[in-house]
Each structure stands twice: as C-alpha cells, then as structure tokens.
Amino acid sequence: QTACIGLCTHPRVVNGEVRITLYSDVREKRNFGGRDTTSKSSGIEIVDRVRRKLIKLYPEYNKSHQRFERFAKMIDIGDATDTWWNTEAEPKKKLAERMQRLLLHLRYSPEETMILVGHSHFFRILIGSLCSEQFKSKDPKLTKSLQMAKLDHCAVAATLCDFGDDDTKEVKIEDFRFLFKRGKLLFDKPKGGKESEEKTRLKKVSWEDFYSAILKEHADDAKLIYGEQGERKL
C-alpha cells in the first residue's frame, strides 16, 4: 500500500517502464511475540487485498476509479507467490542470509537507482551494518545513530552504495541523507519512557496536493527520485 501511494505518479511507473515488484527479502524483521510480516495473502491475492484497502482508505474516489485500476496493473507479484512471511521470530543467521540475497539482487540489477519500500527495523540493521569506515570517520555521530535508531514513519532517505568492481568486495554505504527535509531517526524508548523523538502527526492530503508540494519545495530531491523529467511529468 505504501509503495502504491508513494509511487503511483512516478513517471516511469505511469509510463509503464517499471512496475512495483514484491520481493520477500525486503520484509520486516520479525521479533519474538511480534506480528510483523504476518499475512494470509500471496500471489494475486495481495493485489486484490491492496486494492480493497486503498478503496477503503480513499472513499472520496469511486470504486471503479481509474487510479485503483492503475494500482492493480503496476504491481508485479515477484517472488511472493507462496508463503513469503515468517511464522516465528527470525534468527540472526537467517536475517543475515536474506540481507546478502538482497544485496546480490541490487548489485546485479540493470538499474542504477532503485527505490526500496520496507520497514524500520530491517532498514536499521541493513543500513547500520553497511556503513563504510570512511563514512564513519566523516560523520561518526550519524553512523552511530544509524546503527541504534530506526527511520521515522513514512521517512524517505537516500543512500550511496559502493558495490565494488567484483563479488570479492563487500557492499558499503558511503553516504546517507533524508529527503524532503522531513525525515528523522527514532531511538527505542527506555522502559516506562517515550521515544526520544516525537512522532510526526500526519495530515491526510490528496495525491495531487502531495506531489505538487514536493515539487515546489524540494526540487532537487524530487529530481533524484523521479529523474530529470520528473518536474514536467508529475
């Protein structure tokens, strides 16, 4: 749902050049007693469920509105054709294995720039474990925070990854920054306490107003995500 809403007017998605592909290795890390990555749907059932959820979320649009039809067409079910979720807490070894699969997938993708949509705990482990020594020396405070804190809800961040010349070199993150000046890191709350950053109260706005505001206020960031033609097409 998040990917559909956030990318529904991305020029390459609108033009049918790329689709939102479901990839199970980007799923959230499931902890003991948690319900993250729990699901009952797989394959085409996911597409149908997303459509129903979005119709409920946006009642101002008619159920047959073309936007919902576009949603269904822009999703590629990828490898989520069977039970893609965890049924119990995920061991560290298993998590490390799927992180490596994801990195190999990204390394050999023909695309130079990719957008991953996922959840905070998985990204904390992924980003925090890949910071290069050069990045740590350049910004020790930030890199330490990336290892300890999680991304805020609906935050959008960019990373610069060095995949090296061949498989013998480990993938390293050389830089990280939030986009659209709205991101922040949330540190786990102590017992009986609150998270060190207050959660942002999100206001519901239309798609058109959302993208219009992004392009007006953050042209450079929009160009990074949507490409050189983003401002003209969105």
Side-chain angles (χ1 to χ4, degrees), residues 53-112:
K53 290 287 186 179
L54 291 174
I55 288 174
K56 185 177 180 180
L57 182 63
Y58 292 97
E60 63 269 27
Y61 289 98
N62 186 281
K63 292 182 180 181
S64 60
H65 194 280
Q66 62 179 0
R67 190 178 296 272
F68 297 121
E69 298 305 318
R70 190 200 306 174
F71 281 147
K73 294 179 181 179
M74 64 197 269
I75 299 175
D76 182 338
I77 60 176
D79 68 347
T81 56
D82 205 340
T83 303
W84 53 267
W85 55 90
N86 295 98
T87 57
E88 56 187 10
E90 186 173 20
K92 291 182 179 180
K93 183 179 179 180
K94 292 292 185 181
L95 176 62
E97 289 174 355
R98 70 177 170 97
M99 283 177 53
Q100 287 303 312
R101 288 197 302 269
L102 171 61
L103 293 173
L104 284 172
H105 180 80
L106 297 178
R107 180 194 290 271
Y108 292 108
S109 172
E111 302 290 344
E112 287 294 323

Side-chain angles (χ1 to χ4, degrees), residues 127-142:
I127 296 172
S129 64
L130 296 179
C131 294
S132 69
E133 293 302 320
Q134 182 178 354
F135 185 21
K136 291 177 181 178
S137 298
K138 182 178 70 173
D139 200 333
K141 183 178 180 180
L142 173 60

Side-chain angles (χ1 to χ4, degrees), residues 57-226:
L57 182 63
Y58 292 97
E60 63 269 27
Y61 289 98
N62 186 281
K63 292 182 180 181
S64 60
H65 194 280
Q66 62 179 0
R67 190 178 296 272
F68 297 121
E69 298 305 318
R70 190 200 306 174
F71 281 147
K73 294 179 181 179
M74 64 197 269
I75 299 175
D76 182 338
I77 60 176
D79 68 347
T81 56
D82 205 340
T83 303
W84 53 267
W85 55 90
N86 295 98
T87 57
E88 56 187 10
E90 186 173 20
K92 291 182 179 180
K93 183 179 179 180
K94 292 292 185 181
L95 176 62
E97 289 174 355
R98 70 177 170 97
M99 283 177 53
Q100 287 303 312
R101 288 197 302 269
L102 171 61
L103 293 173
L104 284 172
H105 180 80
L106 297 178
R107 180 194 290 271
Y108 292 108
S109 172
E111 302 290 344
E112 287 294 323
T113 302
M114 287 156 280
I115 300 174
L116 299 182
V117 181
H119 296 271
S120 59
H121 291 293
F122 177 74
F123 283 140
R124 169 168 57 185
I125 298 171
L126 180 68
I127 296 172
S129 64
L130 296 179
C131 294
S132 69
E133 293 302 320
Q134 182 178 354
F135 185 21
K136 291 177 181 178
S137 298
K138 182 178 70 173
D139 200 333
K141 183 178 180 180
L142 173 60
T143 52
K144 184 176 181 180
S145 295
L146 289 172
Q147 294 173 343
M148 301 174 61
K150 61 184 180 181
L151 303 183
D152 192 12
H153 305 286
C154 299
V156 182
T159 61
L160 178 63
C161 298
D162 180 5
F163 286 91
D165 298 326
D166 53 53
D167 293 349
T168 61
K169 183 177 180 181
E170 291 185 353
V171 180
K172 291 296 180 182
I173 290 177
E174 301 292 346
D175 202 359
F176 170 97
R177 71 182 177 95
F178 284 109
L179 302 181
F180 310 130
K181 302 178 182 179
R182 287 183 169 84
K184 60 187 177 185
L185 295 171
L186 298 177
F187 291 82
D188 289 338
K189 60 183 179 180
K191 291 183 179 180
K194 295 182 178 180
E195 290 175 329
S196 59
E197 289 279 353
E198 290 293 328
K199 295 180 180 178
T200 303
R201 183 178 295 276
L202 299 176
K203 178 182 178 182
K204 183 177 178 181
V205 297
S206 68
W207 279 296
E208 291 77 11
D209 290 344
F210 174 69
Y211 286 105
S212 176
I214 285 180
L215 293 174
K216 183 178 180 181
E217 299 175 22
H218 314 290
D220 291 340
D221 289 340
K223 185 180 293 184
L224 175 64
I225 287 185
Y226 299 115

